[in-house]
């Protein structure tokens, strides 16, 4: 059984651009339009040309730049709007005028102060007028989600009779439940006599978080066009997300529906739109969020490493993401740590893994996420587990009105020793405290502290150079506490001296 085509109508440049602070200039709009063309969208709604000179010019230039998709311009059911739309679309290879009117009781009574019959007359007149300029005319029944189904069927039948090739059934306020919206589409399929002469389109908003669900309910019940935006951007809570509906249909083969979208272009297109519109994609956004293919739970990581499909229903490569990520946190298990260390070239036996894992958890409790640089530092520290001098505890008192004082406990030759000393600062005090215990004649020649990760929970990497009897010894450590890291690096060098 062959799959049925669902047309993807992208309104990122019209409805999506209505987000406050996300306006694009003409050059940026052309860049997005070309990316949408490569993505494989069927229709690009390029703007509302009568609304501003900028929108007018953008639709003209997009019409010149894009060749494959249909270019659509939005209008009200007003002759001047339609004339302007026809003018800007004169360069489009596949032009479409998108005109319409509100059809819910709220719009008919409060917005237009009209009767239902007057609204039908205006709708029919607008479609007929648009038909003078282009063959492809789409009619939108604004707020159809809250419209009476019998009236909706009546106006849809009238506009198809007037020449509409597509009828758009918007859930403008995002009010419908999926069952309600699906039933509305099915009602039109069964009660509009000429419905076979037009494509039914969905246009769902996300005010209740149901835009994707409603759009899918619509196509299940007979709609064959979905109006959507990249990253789900749009008025208020946004529009239907292109990447979500496309991947729902691709993943659920039983729906027997397909699109022309090149899914491997989804992620790069998402990033382009996010960058140009200066609107970050939320981390947990389906398909394109940075956590969409990230695993941090130890149980999930273990299952994923054994078989990807235990916790992923989509291969990230399908949407243009190179690979899933194993995020190392305090919730990660040994399997994830071993896997990441192996990718860095470290092969550990079970005893070594247990030792490193204990250090890993100590570090992970201090940091939100462990990065490769952290692990490299951790492995450098782990290689020194057998040094002769071990730090047991360190307490430092310092501040604007306090004399920096350090109290240190170290384990040396099987005994625990304690020393307290002051200094010019907390690090100097800590080093002096060590010297009260380890009395070997040494000179601290060099102390280098590097931040190796970003954020307030940075991990500091410390290198020291210590001279003793004409020889130079080097010490190293890493810790989220640079004072502790400095003392450990100093003890690392002293272990070689004693």
């Amino acid at each position: 059984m062959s799959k049925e085509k669902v047309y993807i109508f992208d309104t990122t440049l019209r409805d999506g651009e209505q987000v406050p602070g996300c306006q694009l200039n003409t050059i940026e709009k052309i860049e997005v339009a070309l990316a949408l063309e490569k993505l494989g969208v069927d229709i690009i709604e390029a703007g509302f040309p009568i609304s501003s000179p900028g929108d007018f010019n953008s639709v003209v230039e997009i019409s010149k730049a894009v060749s494959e998709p249909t270019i659509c311009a939005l209008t009200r059911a007003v002759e001047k709007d339609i004339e302007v739309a026809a003018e800007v679309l004169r360069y489009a290879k596949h032009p479409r005028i998108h005109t319409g009117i509100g059809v819910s009781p709220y719009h008919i009574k409060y917005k237009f102060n009209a009767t239902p019959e007057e609204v039908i007359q205006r709708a029919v007149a607008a479609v007929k007028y648009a038909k003078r300029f282009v063959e492809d005319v789409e009619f939108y029944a604004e707020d159809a989600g809250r419209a009476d189904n019998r009236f909706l069927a009546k106006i849809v039948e009238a506009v198809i009779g007037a020449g509409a090739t597509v009828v758009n059934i918007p859930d403008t306020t995002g009010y419908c439940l999926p069952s309600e919206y699906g039933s509305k589409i099915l009602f039109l399929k069964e009660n509009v006599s000429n419905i076979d002469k037009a494509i039914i389109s969905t246009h769902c908003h996300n005010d209740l978080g149901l835009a994707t669900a409603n759009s899918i309910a619509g196509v299940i019940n007979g709609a064959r066009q979905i109006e959507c935006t990249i990253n789900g951007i749009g008025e208020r809570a946004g529009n239907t997300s292109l990447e979500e509906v496309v991947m729902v249909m691709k993943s659920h083969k039983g729906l027997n529906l397909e699109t022309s979208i090149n899914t491997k272009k989804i992620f790069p297109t998402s990033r382009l739109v996010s960058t140009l519109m200066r609107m970050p994609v939320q981390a947990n956004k389906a398909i394109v969020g940075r956590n969409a293919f990230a695993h941090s739970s130890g149980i999930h990581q273990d299952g994923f490493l054994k078989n990807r499909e235990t916790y992923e229903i989509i291969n990230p490569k399908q949407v243009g993401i190179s690979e899933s990520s194993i995020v190392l946190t305090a919730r990660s298990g040994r399997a994830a740590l071993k896997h990441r260390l192996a990718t860095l070239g470290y092969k550990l036996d079970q005893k070594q893994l247990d030792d490193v894992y204990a250090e890993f958890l100590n570090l992970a409790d201090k940091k939100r996420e462990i990065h490769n640089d952290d692990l490299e530092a951790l492995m450098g520290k782990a290689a020194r587990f057998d040094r002769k001098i071990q730090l047991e505890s360190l307490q430092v008192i310092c501040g604007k009105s306090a004399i920096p004082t350090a109290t240190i406990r170290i384990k040396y030759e099987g005994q625990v020793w304690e020393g307290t000393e002051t200094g010019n600062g907390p690090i100097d005090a800590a080093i002096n405290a060590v010297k009260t215990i380890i009395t070997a004649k040494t000179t601290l020649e060099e102390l280098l502290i590097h931040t190796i990760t970003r954020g307030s929970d940075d991990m500091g990497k410390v290198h020291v150079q210590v001279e003793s009897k004409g020889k130079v010894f080097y010490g190293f450590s890493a810790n989220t506490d640079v004072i502790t890291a400095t003392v450990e690096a100093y003890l690392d060098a002293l272990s070689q001296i004693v």
Side-chain angles (χ1 to χ4, degrees), residues 103-293:
V103 298
S104 72
Y106 301 94
H107 283 241
I108 295 171
K109 181 177 180 181
Y110 300 110
K111 186 175 179 179
F112 302 119
N113 190 27
T115 65
E117 290 71 25
E118 289 172 333
V119 166
I120 292 176
Q121 290 172 6
R122 288 180 61 180
V124 168
V127 170
K128 286 183 176 179
Y129 195 63
K131 203 73 173 177
R132 294 185 185 181
F133 302 99
V134 296
E135 181 58 34
D136 190 4
V137 176
E138 178 172 343
F139 172 79
Y140 65 83
E142 189 175 7
D143 204 20
R146 296 188 294 174
D148 175 76
N149 285 351
R150 287 166 296 183
F151 174 70
L152 183 61
K154 189 174 181 180
I155 195 170
V156 166
E157 187 167 292
V159 296
I160 294 175
T165 51
V166 181
V167 286
N168 176 13
I169 312 301
D171 184 22
T172 305
T173 60
Y175 175 75
C176 286
L177 295 172
S179 58
E180 293 174 322
Y181 189 76
S183 296
K184 190 177 290 284
I185 300 299
L186 184 61
F187 185 87
L188 296 177
K189 290 286 288 184
E190 295 177 343
N191 292 277
V192 175
S193 63
N194 54 0
I195 197 66
D196 60 312
K197 293 181 172 58
I199 294 172
I200 301 178
S201 180
T202 70
H203 182 111
C204 300
H205 282 259
N206 206 39
D207 297 70
L208 294 176
L210 296 171
T212 293
N214 283 338
S215 297
I216 295 300
V219 295
I220 287 174
N221 285 280
R224 287 297 175 264
Q225 177 177 289
I226 294 178
E227 305 191 6
C228 47
T229 61
I230 300 296
N231 300 332
I233 63 172
E235 192 86 17
R236 303 184 311 281
N239 287 49
T240 300
S241 167
L242 180 148
E243 58 273 11
E244 291 175 13
V245 290
V246 167
M247 294 312 295
V248 167
M249 289 185 281
K250 189 176 182 68
S251 299
H252 286 268
K253 302 188 188 307
L255 293 177
N256 215 41
L257 301 171
E258 65 179 1
T259 71
S260 297
I261 297 297
N262 178 355
T263 61
K264 291 182 179 179
K265 299 285 187 183
I266 284 177
F267 185 72
T269 307
S270 164
R271 286 295 172 265
L272 174 67
V273 170
S274 174
T275 300
L276 292 180
M277 289 192 165
R278 296 162 290 281
M279 189 173 184
V281 177
Q282 65 193 69
N284 64 330
K285 171 72 177 66
I287 314 301
V288 292
R290 71 171 183 270
N291 291 343
F293 298 97

Side-chain angles (χ1 to χ4, degrees), residues 390-396 406-410 416-421 429-437 487-488 490-491:
Q390 300 285 339
L391 178 63
E392 292 285 302
S393 68
L394 172 65
Q395 183 178 35
V396 178
T407 298
I408 191 168
R409 287 166 60 90
I410 62 176
V416 176
W417 305 79
E418 184 174 304
T420 300
E421 191 55 270
I431 295 296
N432 290 340
V434 173
K435 290 180 177 179
T436 65
I437 304 170
V487 172
E488 288 181 333
Y490 185 55
L491 293 179

Side-chain angles (χ1 to χ4, degrees), residues 290-476:
R290 71 171 183 270
N291 291 343
F293 298 97
H295 307 272
S296 66
S297 161
I299 294 173
H300 285 224
Q301 290 171 338
D302 182 58
F304 169 80
L305 290 171
K306 289 173 179 173
N307 186 310
R308 183 189 61 79
E309 292 183 351
T310 55
Y311 285 103
E312 284 187 357
I313 59 171
I314 297 170
N315 187 325
K317 292 180 180 179
Q318 287 184 301
V319 296
I321 298 172
S322 58
E323 61 182 357
S324 302
S325 60
I326 298 291
V327 181
L328 296 180
T329 69
R331 295 175 298 282
S332 298
R334 287 174 175 79
L337 177 61
K338 184 178 180 180
H339 170 77
R340 179 71 70 83
L341 288 173
T343 65
L344 296 175
Y346 296 101
K347 306 295 182 183
L348 307 182
D349 60 29
Q350 191 59 47
K351 174 65 167 61
Q352 292 171 322
L353 180 62
D354 289 342
D355 289 341
V356 173
Y357 185 64
E359 289 291 316
F360 164 80
L361 288 180
N362 287 332
L363 178 60
D365 279 335
K366 299 173 184 177
K367 290 176 61 67
R368 287 186 291 272
E369 183 178 337
I370 304 298
H371 302 284
N372 287 348
D373 285 339
D374 298 320
L375 293 179
E376 295 281 6
L378 198 63
M379 292 307 295
K381 179 179 178 181
R384 293 165 172 79
F385 283 157
D386 59 349
R387 65 187 172 197
K388 297 176 182 178
I389 307 171
Q390 300 285 339
L391 178 63
E392 292 285 302
S393 68
L394 172 65
Q395 183 178 35
V396 178
I397 298 173
C398 61
K400 184 176 181 180
S401 59
I403 297 174
T405 305
T407 298
I408 191 168
R409 287 166 60 90
I410 62 176
K411 189 174 184 179
Y412 174 50
E413 294 184 339
Q415 296 186 54
V416 176
W417 305 79
E418 184 174 304
T420 300
E421 191 55 270
T422 60
N424 291 328
I427 290 178
D428 186 46
I431 295 296
N432 290 340
V434 173
K435 290 180 177 179
T436 65
I437 304 170
I438 307 298
T439 57
K441 188 173 179 58
T442 62
T443 303
L444 181 59
E445 296 284 350
E446 189 173 66
L447 168 63
L448 297 175
I449 301 174
H450 301 280
T451 298
I452 60 174
T453 54
R454 298 177 180 178
S456 60
D457 58 355
D458 286 355
M459 193 171 183
K461 181 169 64 174
V462 178
H463 291 270
V464 299
Q465 180 178 314
V466 178
E467 186 272 330
S468 177
K469 297 180 180 180
K471 293 184 178 181
V472 176
F473 301 86
Y474 299 92
F476 164 83

